Short mmCIF file of all heavy atoms in Angstrom, two decimals:
data_model
loop_
_atom_site.label_atom_id
_atom_site.label_comp_id
_atom_site.label_asym_id
_atom_site.label_seq_id
_atom_site.Cartn_x
_atom_site.Cartn_y
_atom_site.Cartn_z
N SER A 31 -9.13 26.96 -32.73
CA SER A 31 -8.18 27.71 -33.53
C SER A 31 -6.73 27.50 -33.11
O SER A 31 -5.83 27.75 -33.87
CB SER A 31 -8.49 29.22 -33.45
OG SER A 31 -8.37 29.67 -32.13
N HIS A 32 -6.54 27.00 -31.88
CA HIS A 32 -5.16 26.86 -31.39
C HIS A 32 -4.72 25.43 -31.23
O HIS A 32 -3.70 25.16 -30.65
CB HIS A 32 -5.01 27.60 -30.06
CG HIS A 32 -5.03 29.09 -30.21
ND1 HIS A 32 -3.90 29.84 -30.47
CD2 HIS A 32 -6.07 29.96 -30.18
CE1 HIS A 32 -4.22 31.11 -30.55
NE2 HIS A 32 -5.53 31.22 -30.39
N GLY A 33 -5.51 24.43 -31.70
CA GLY A 33 -5.04 23.06 -31.69
C GLY A 33 -5.61 22.22 -30.57
O GLY A 33 -6.46 22.64 -29.81
N ALA A 34 -5.06 21.02 -30.45
CA ALA A 34 -5.66 20.02 -29.57
C ALA A 34 -5.32 20.21 -28.11
O ALA A 34 -6.05 19.76 -27.24
CB ALA A 34 -5.22 18.63 -30.02
N LEU A 35 -4.21 20.88 -27.77
CA LEU A 35 -3.80 20.99 -26.37
C LEU A 35 -3.62 22.46 -26.00
O LEU A 35 -2.52 23.00 -26.08
CB LEU A 35 -2.50 20.22 -26.13
CG LEU A 35 -2.58 18.72 -26.32
CD1 LEU A 35 -1.20 18.11 -26.16
CD2 LEU A 35 -3.53 18.12 -25.29
N PRO A 36 -4.70 23.17 -25.57
CA PRO A 36 -4.57 24.57 -25.17
C PRO A 36 -3.76 24.67 -23.90
O PRO A 36 -3.76 23.78 -23.08
CB PRO A 36 -6.03 25.00 -24.93
CG PRO A 36 -6.73 23.73 -24.58
CD PRO A 36 -6.05 22.65 -25.38
N CYS A 37 -3.09 25.77 -23.73
CA CYS A 37 -2.26 25.93 -22.53
C CYS A 37 -3.12 26.21 -21.32
O CYS A 37 -4.20 26.80 -21.41
CB CYS A 37 -1.21 27.02 -22.74
SG CYS A 37 -1.90 28.69 -22.81
N ALA A 38 -2.64 25.80 -20.15
CA ALA A 38 -3.41 25.92 -18.92
C ALA A 38 -3.64 27.38 -18.55
O ALA A 38 -4.66 27.73 -17.95
CB ALA A 38 -2.68 25.21 -17.79
N ALA A 39 -2.72 28.27 -18.93
CA ALA A 39 -2.87 29.68 -18.57
C ALA A 39 -4.12 30.28 -19.21
O ALA A 39 -4.86 31.04 -18.58
CB ALA A 39 -1.63 30.47 -19.01
N ILE A 40 -4.36 29.95 -20.49
CA ILE A 40 -5.56 30.46 -21.17
C ILE A 40 -6.81 29.95 -20.48
O ILE A 40 -7.77 30.68 -20.25
CB ILE A 40 -5.55 30.04 -22.66
CG1 ILE A 40 -4.38 30.72 -23.38
CG2 ILE A 40 -6.87 30.37 -23.33
CD1 ILE A 40 -4.23 30.30 -24.82
N ALA A 41 -6.78 28.65 -20.11
CA ALA A 41 -7.95 28.06 -19.46
C ALA A 41 -8.26 28.74 -18.13
O ALA A 41 -9.41 29.00 -17.80
CB ALA A 41 -7.73 26.58 -19.24
N LEU A 42 -7.21 29.04 -17.35
CA LEU A 42 -7.43 29.68 -16.07
C LEU A 42 -7.97 31.09 -16.23
O LEU A 42 -8.79 31.56 -15.44
CB LEU A 42 -6.14 29.70 -15.26
CG LEU A 42 -5.63 28.33 -14.80
CD1 LEU A 42 -4.27 28.46 -14.12
CD2 LEU A 42 -6.63 27.70 -13.84
N CYS A 43 -7.53 31.79 -17.24
CA CYS A 43 -8.06 33.12 -17.53
C CYS A 43 -9.54 33.05 -17.86
O CYS A 43 -10.34 33.88 -17.41
CB CYS A 43 -7.29 33.77 -18.68
SG CYS A 43 -5.60 34.25 -18.24
N ILE A 44 -9.92 32.04 -18.65
CA ILE A 44 -11.33 31.89 -19.02
C ILE A 44 -12.16 31.58 -17.79
O ILE A 44 -13.24 32.13 -17.59
CB ILE A 44 -11.48 30.78 -20.07
CG1 ILE A 44 -10.79 31.19 -21.37
CG2 ILE A 44 -12.94 30.45 -20.32
CD1 ILE A 44 -10.67 30.08 -22.38
N ALA A 45 -11.63 30.68 -16.94
CA ALA A 45 -12.37 30.31 -15.72
C ALA A 45 -12.54 31.50 -14.80
O ALA A 45 -13.51 31.58 -14.04
CB ALA A 45 -11.64 29.18 -14.99
N ALA A 46 -11.61 32.46 -14.84
CA ALA A 46 -11.67 33.61 -13.95
C ALA A 46 -12.59 34.71 -14.45
O ALA A 46 -12.87 35.67 -13.73
CB ALA A 46 -10.26 34.17 -13.75
N MET A 47 -13.08 34.63 -15.69
CA MET A 47 -13.95 35.65 -16.23
C MET A 47 -15.24 35.74 -15.43
O MET A 47 -15.81 34.74 -15.01
CB MET A 47 -14.30 35.33 -17.69
CG MET A 47 -13.13 35.53 -18.64
SD MET A 47 -13.62 35.18 -20.33
CE MET A 47 -12.09 35.50 -21.19
N PRO A 48 -15.75 36.95 -15.17
CA PRO A 48 -16.99 37.09 -14.42
C PRO A 48 -18.15 36.46 -15.16
O PRO A 48 -18.23 36.47 -16.38
CB PRO A 48 -17.16 38.61 -14.27
CG PRO A 48 -16.36 39.19 -15.40
CD PRO A 48 -15.23 38.26 -15.62
N GLY A 49 -19.03 35.86 -14.41
CA GLY A 49 -20.21 35.24 -15.01
C GLY A 49 -21.20 34.90 -13.94
O GLY A 49 -21.02 35.20 -12.75
N LYS A 50 -22.25 34.23 -14.30
CA LYS A 50 -23.29 33.87 -13.34
C LYS A 50 -22.75 32.80 -12.40
O LYS A 50 -22.15 31.82 -12.80
CB LYS A 50 -24.51 33.33 -14.09
CG LYS A 50 -25.69 33.04 -13.17
CD LYS A 50 -26.88 32.58 -13.98
CE LYS A 50 -28.06 32.26 -13.07
NZ LYS A 50 -29.24 31.81 -13.84
N THR A 51 -22.96 32.97 -11.09
CA THR A 51 -22.49 32.02 -10.08
C THR A 51 -23.60 31.06 -9.73
O THR A 51 -24.72 31.46 -9.44
CB THR A 51 -22.04 32.77 -8.81
OG1 THR A 51 -20.97 33.63 -9.14
CG2 THR A 51 -21.59 31.80 -7.75
N HIS A 52 -23.28 29.75 -9.74
CA HIS A 52 -24.24 28.73 -9.40
C HIS A 52 -23.71 28.00 -8.17
O HIS A 52 -22.94 27.06 -8.29
CB HIS A 52 -24.42 27.75 -10.57
CG HIS A 52 -24.89 28.41 -11.83
ND1 HIS A 52 -26.20 28.74 -12.06
CD2 HIS A 52 -24.19 28.82 -12.92
CE1 HIS A 52 -26.32 29.32 -13.26
NE2 HIS A 52 -25.11 29.38 -13.79
N ALA A 53 -24.08 28.47 -6.99
CA ALA A 53 -23.62 27.85 -5.75
C ALA A 53 -24.76 27.06 -5.13
O ALA A 53 -25.93 27.46 -5.21
CB ALA A 53 -23.12 28.92 -4.78
N GLY A 54 -24.44 25.94 -4.52
CA GLY A 54 -25.47 25.16 -3.86
C GLY A 54 -25.19 23.69 -3.91
O GLY A 54 -24.16 23.22 -4.42
N LEU A 55 -26.12 22.90 -3.37
CA LEU A 55 -26.00 21.46 -3.26
C LEU A 55 -26.66 20.77 -4.45
O LEU A 55 -27.77 21.15 -4.85
CB LEU A 55 -26.66 20.99 -1.96
CG LEU A 55 -26.49 19.53 -1.56
CD1 LEU A 55 -25.05 19.26 -1.18
CD2 LEU A 55 -27.41 19.20 -0.39
N GLU A 56 -25.97 19.79 -5.02
CA GLU A 56 -26.52 19.03 -6.13
C GLU A 56 -26.41 17.54 -5.82
O GLU A 56 -25.43 17.10 -5.22
CB GLU A 56 -25.77 19.34 -7.43
CG GLU A 56 -25.82 20.80 -7.84
CD GLU A 56 -24.99 21.07 -9.09
OE1 GLU A 56 -24.41 20.10 -9.62
OE2 GLU A 56 -24.93 22.23 -9.51
N TRP A 57 -27.43 16.78 -6.21
CA TRP A 57 -27.39 15.33 -5.97
C TRP A 57 -26.44 14.65 -6.94
O TRP A 57 -26.46 14.94 -8.14
CB TRP A 57 -28.79 14.73 -6.10
CG TRP A 57 -29.74 15.21 -5.04
CD1 TRP A 57 -30.85 15.99 -5.22
CD2 TRP A 57 -29.65 14.97 -3.63
NE1 TRP A 57 -31.47 16.24 -4.02
CE2 TRP A 57 -30.75 15.62 -3.02
CE3 TRP A 57 -28.76 14.27 -2.83
CZ2 TRP A 57 -30.98 15.59 -1.65
CZ3 TRP A 57 -28.97 14.23 -1.46
CH2 TRP A 57 -30.07 14.88 -0.88
N GLY A 58 -25.61 13.76 -6.41
CA GLY A 58 -24.69 13.03 -7.26
C GLY A 58 -23.60 13.93 -7.82
O GLY A 58 -23.36 15.04 -7.35
N VAL A 59 -22.92 13.41 -8.84
CA VAL A 59 -21.83 14.13 -9.48
C VAL A 59 -22.00 14.06 -10.98
O VAL A 59 -22.26 12.99 -11.54
CB VAL A 59 -20.46 13.51 -9.09
CG1 VAL A 59 -19.32 14.21 -9.83
CG2 VAL A 59 -20.24 13.57 -7.59
N PHE A 60 -21.87 15.21 -11.65
CA PHE A 60 -21.95 15.22 -13.11
C PHE A 60 -20.55 15.10 -13.70
O PHE A 60 -19.64 15.85 -13.35
CB PHE A 60 -22.59 16.51 -13.62
CG PHE A 60 -22.48 16.67 -15.11
CD1 PHE A 60 -23.25 15.88 -15.96
CD2 PHE A 60 -21.58 17.56 -15.67
CE1 PHE A 60 -23.13 16.00 -17.34
CE2 PHE A 60 -21.45 17.69 -17.04
CZ PHE A 60 -22.23 16.91 -17.88
N VAL A 61 -20.37 14.12 -14.58
CA VAL A 61 -19.11 13.94 -15.32
C VAL A 61 -19.47 13.77 -16.79
O VAL A 61 -20.28 12.89 -17.13
CB VAL A 61 -18.33 12.70 -14.82
CG1 VAL A 61 -17.04 12.54 -15.62
CG2 VAL A 61 -18.01 12.82 -13.34
N PRO A 62 -18.92 14.59 -17.69
CA PRO A 62 -19.23 14.46 -19.12
C PRO A 62 -18.92 13.07 -19.64
O PRO A 62 -18.02 12.38 -19.15
CB PRO A 62 -18.32 15.52 -19.77
CG PRO A 62 -18.04 16.50 -18.69
CD PRO A 62 -18.00 15.71 -17.42
N ASP A 63 -19.68 12.65 -20.65
CA ASP A 63 -19.52 11.30 -21.20
C ASP A 63 -18.12 11.06 -21.76
O ASP A 63 -17.65 9.93 -21.82
CB ASP A 63 -20.56 11.05 -22.30
CG ASP A 63 -21.97 10.97 -21.74
OD1 ASP A 63 -22.09 10.72 -20.52
OD2 ASP A 63 -22.93 11.17 -22.50
N ASP A 64 -17.42 12.12 -22.20
CA ASP A 64 -16.10 11.94 -22.81
C ASP A 64 -14.98 11.88 -21.78
O ASP A 64 -13.81 11.81 -22.15
CB ASP A 64 -15.83 13.04 -23.84
CG ASP A 64 -15.86 14.42 -23.22
OD1 ASP A 64 -16.26 14.54 -22.04
OD2 ASP A 64 -15.50 15.39 -23.91
N ARG A 65 -15.32 11.92 -20.49
CA ARG A 65 -14.28 11.79 -19.48
C ARG A 65 -14.75 11.01 -18.25
O ARG A 65 -14.23 11.19 -17.16
CB ARG A 65 -13.73 13.16 -19.08
CG ARG A 65 -14.74 14.14 -18.51
CD ARG A 65 -14.08 15.46 -18.12
NE ARG A 65 -13.62 16.20 -19.28
CZ ARG A 65 -13.07 17.42 -19.21
NH1 ARG A 65 -12.89 18.01 -18.05
NH2 ARG A 65 -12.68 18.04 -20.31
N ASN A 66 -15.74 10.12 -18.44
CA ASN A 66 -16.21 9.33 -17.30
C ASN A 66 -15.43 8.02 -17.13
O ASN A 66 -15.67 7.28 -16.18
CB ASN A 66 -17.71 9.06 -17.38
CG ASN A 66 -18.09 8.22 -18.59
OD1 ASN A 66 -17.24 7.87 -19.41
ND2 ASN A 66 -19.36 7.90 -18.72
N SER A 67 -14.51 7.72 -18.05
CA SER A 67 -13.59 6.60 -17.89
C SER A 67 -12.17 7.10 -18.10
O SER A 67 -11.94 8.06 -18.85
CB SER A 67 -13.89 5.48 -18.89
OG SER A 67 -15.13 4.88 -18.61
N GLN A 68 -11.23 6.44 -17.44
CA GLN A 68 -9.85 6.93 -17.49
C GLN A 68 -8.86 5.79 -17.30
O GLN A 68 -9.01 4.97 -16.40
CB GLN A 68 -9.67 7.97 -16.37
CG GLN A 68 -8.29 8.53 -16.23
CD GLN A 68 -8.19 9.41 -14.99
OE1 GLN A 68 -7.31 9.22 -14.15
NE2 GLN A 68 -9.09 10.37 -14.87
N TRP A 69 -7.87 5.73 -18.18
CA TRP A 69 -6.72 4.83 -18.04
C TRP A 69 -5.47 5.70 -17.92
O TRP A 69 -5.31 6.69 -18.66
CB TRP A 69 -6.56 3.91 -19.25
CG TRP A 69 -7.43 2.69 -19.24
CD1 TRP A 69 -8.53 2.46 -20.01
CD2 TRP A 69 -7.25 1.51 -18.45
NE1 TRP A 69 -9.07 1.23 -19.75
CE2 TRP A 69 -8.30 0.61 -18.78
CE3 TRP A 69 -6.32 1.13 -17.48
CZ2 TRP A 69 -8.43 -0.63 -18.19
CZ3 TRP A 69 -6.45 -0.11 -16.88
CH2 TRP A 69 -7.50 -0.99 -17.24
N SER A 70 -4.57 5.32 -17.03
CA SER A 70 -3.31 6.05 -16.93
C SER A 70 -2.20 5.11 -16.49
O SER A 70 -2.44 4.05 -15.89
CB SER A 70 -3.43 7.22 -15.95
OG SER A 70 -3.75 6.77 -14.65
N PHE A 71 -0.98 5.51 -16.80
CA PHE A 71 0.22 4.76 -16.42
C PHE A 71 1.12 5.69 -15.61
O PHE A 71 1.19 6.89 -15.90
CB PHE A 71 0.96 4.25 -17.66
CG PHE A 71 0.16 3.30 -18.49
CD1 PHE A 71 -0.65 3.78 -19.51
CD2 PHE A 71 0.20 1.94 -18.24
CE1 PHE A 71 -1.41 2.90 -20.28
CE2 PHE A 71 -0.54 1.06 -19.00
CZ PHE A 71 -1.35 1.54 -20.02
N SER A 72 1.79 5.14 -14.62
CA SER A 72 2.60 5.98 -13.74
C SER A 72 4.04 5.49 -13.66
O SER A 72 4.33 4.31 -13.86
CB SER A 72 1.99 6.03 -12.33
OG SER A 72 2.04 4.75 -11.72
N TYR A 73 4.91 6.44 -13.36
CA TYR A 73 6.31 6.16 -13.07
C TYR A 73 6.64 6.89 -11.78
O TYR A 73 6.33 8.07 -11.62
CB TYR A 73 7.20 6.67 -14.21
CG TYR A 73 8.68 6.54 -13.92
CD1 TYR A 73 9.35 5.34 -14.13
CD2 TYR A 73 9.41 7.63 -13.43
CE1 TYR A 73 10.71 5.22 -13.87
CE2 TYR A 73 10.77 7.51 -13.16
CZ TYR A 73 11.41 6.30 -13.38
OH TYR A 73 12.75 6.17 -13.11
N GLY A 74 7.23 6.18 -10.85
CA GLY A 74 7.49 6.83 -9.57
C GLY A 74 8.47 6.05 -8.73
O GLY A 74 9.37 5.39 -9.26
N SER A 75 8.29 6.12 -7.44
CA SER A 75 9.24 5.46 -6.56
C SER A 75 8.61 5.12 -5.22
O SER A 75 7.63 5.74 -4.79
CB SER A 75 10.47 6.35 -6.32
OG SER A 75 10.12 7.46 -5.51
N VAL A 76 9.18 4.09 -4.60
CA VAL A 76 8.96 3.86 -3.17
C VAL A 76 9.97 4.78 -2.51
O VAL A 76 11.16 4.47 -2.41
CB VAL A 76 9.21 2.39 -2.79
CG1 VAL A 76 8.98 2.19 -1.29
CG2 VAL A 76 8.30 1.48 -3.60
N ALA A 77 9.52 5.97 -2.11
CA ALA A 77 10.43 7.02 -1.68
C ALA A 77 10.97 6.80 -0.28
O ALA A 77 12.07 7.26 0.05
CB ALA A 77 9.72 8.38 -1.74
N SER A 78 10.21 6.08 0.55
CA SER A 78 10.64 5.86 1.92
C SER A 78 10.06 4.55 2.42
O SER A 78 8.90 4.23 2.15
CB SER A 78 10.19 7.02 2.81
OG SER A 78 10.51 6.78 4.17
N LEU A 79 10.87 3.78 3.14
CA LEU A 79 10.42 2.53 3.75
C LEU A 79 11.14 2.35 5.07
O LEU A 79 12.37 2.36 5.13
CB LEU A 79 10.71 1.35 2.83
CG LEU A 79 10.41 -0.05 3.39
CD1 LEU A 79 8.92 -0.23 3.62
CD2 LEU A 79 10.93 -1.13 2.44
#
Side-chain angles (χ1 to χ4, degrees):
S31 62
H32 288 272
L35 295 175
C37 70
I40 294 176
L42 293 175
C43 289
I44 294 170
M47 288 182 180
K50 185 177 179 180
T51 299
H52 301 279
L55 188 69
E56 300 177 1
W57 294 114
V59 177
F60 170 73
V61 179
D63 292 340
D64 59 352
R65 59 179 69 177
N66 64 357
S67 293
Q68 177 187 127
W69 278 107
S70 61
F71 299 89
S72 66
Y73 174 83
S75 70
V76 180
S78 175
L79 175 65

